[in-house]
Amino acid sequence: MTLHPDLKFPTAHELDTLSPEELAGRMNALSGTLGARLGIEFTAVSRDRVVARMPVDGNRQPAGRLHGGANLALAEELASVGSWMNLDPARQVAVGVDLSGTHVRGVTDGWVTGEGVLAYRGRTVLVWSIEIRDERGRVTSMARCTCNVIATGA
């Protein structure tokens, strides 16, 4: 399995010593990824909580609202990155295998911020609960994402 060449997994020591904001900086600007195309910017990353924001501009549906698929891509990105923080990157990666979401409020401009919280951590499965909010703090979408742990063969 080939991982993105710019991806800098933190060591166990770094997970314990770096701030969530410093860890977030390592997840930004991975060129050629869907997250980069959507403009997702991580602001905080830890083992049990991940926060990122995404612009509405460039991610609208034809009706002018933030596309539901963009919301779900943000949710899966949060869950995947959060799951990686719970693994040994020399031997494992996490991938989303189940994603469900409910969109409760339309957004037409500005940014949305997603917060993923680890709901369950097992050996081979991690489940995340994600809320996406507009700039006024109102919930716009809620999602749940399950990630499977895959051995990399290293």
Side-chain angles (χ1 to χ4, degrees):
M1 177 175 286
T2 303
L3 300 177
H4 195 285
D6 297 333
L7 187 59
K8 297 178 183 95
F9 281 111
T11 64
H13 174 72
E14 290 171 329
L15 275 171
D16 293 334
T17 58
L18 294 177
S19 72
E21 295 77 18
E22 290 170 318
L23 290 170
R26 293 180 175 215
M27 298 298 126
N28 288 324
L30 296 178
S31 63
T33 65
L34 180 59
R37 289 179 193 268
L38 295 175
I40 294 173
E41 299 174 359
F42 287 90
T43 59
V45 174
S46 69
R47 287 184 174 107
D48 59 359
R49 181 176 170 269
V50 181
V51 181
R53 64 188 210 134
M54 180 178 68
V56 173
D57 189 36
N59 294 315
R60 289 185 183 91
Q61 54 169 257
R65 294 173 179 247
L66 179 61
H67 197 290
N71 276 320
L72 293 179
L74 172 60
E76 186 164 346
E77 189 93 345
L78 291 165
S80 294
V81 168
S83 294
W84 298 340
M85 297 301 114
N86 288 278
L87 306 177
D88 176 355
R91 302 181 311 109
Q92 302 166 305
V93 294
V95 296
V97 295
D98 184 61
L99 177 64
S100 63
T102 303
H103 311 299
V104 296
R105 179 183 301 277
V107 183
T108 58
D109 61 8
W111 292 73
V112 293
T113 299
E115 178 179 11
V117 176
L118 183 61
Y120 174 80
R121 184 188 190 281
R123 261 184 328 110
T124 60
V125 172
L126 295 103
V127 179
W128 292 81
S129 177
I130 299 106
E131 284 191 353
I132 299 172
R133 297 177 179 272
D134 65 14
E135 291 179 318
R136 293 175 56 189
R138 300 175 299 183
V139 173
T140 61
S141 293
M142 297 169 283
R144 187 185 77 178
C145 185
T146 302
C147 292
N148 277 0
V149 177
I150 298 175
T152 58

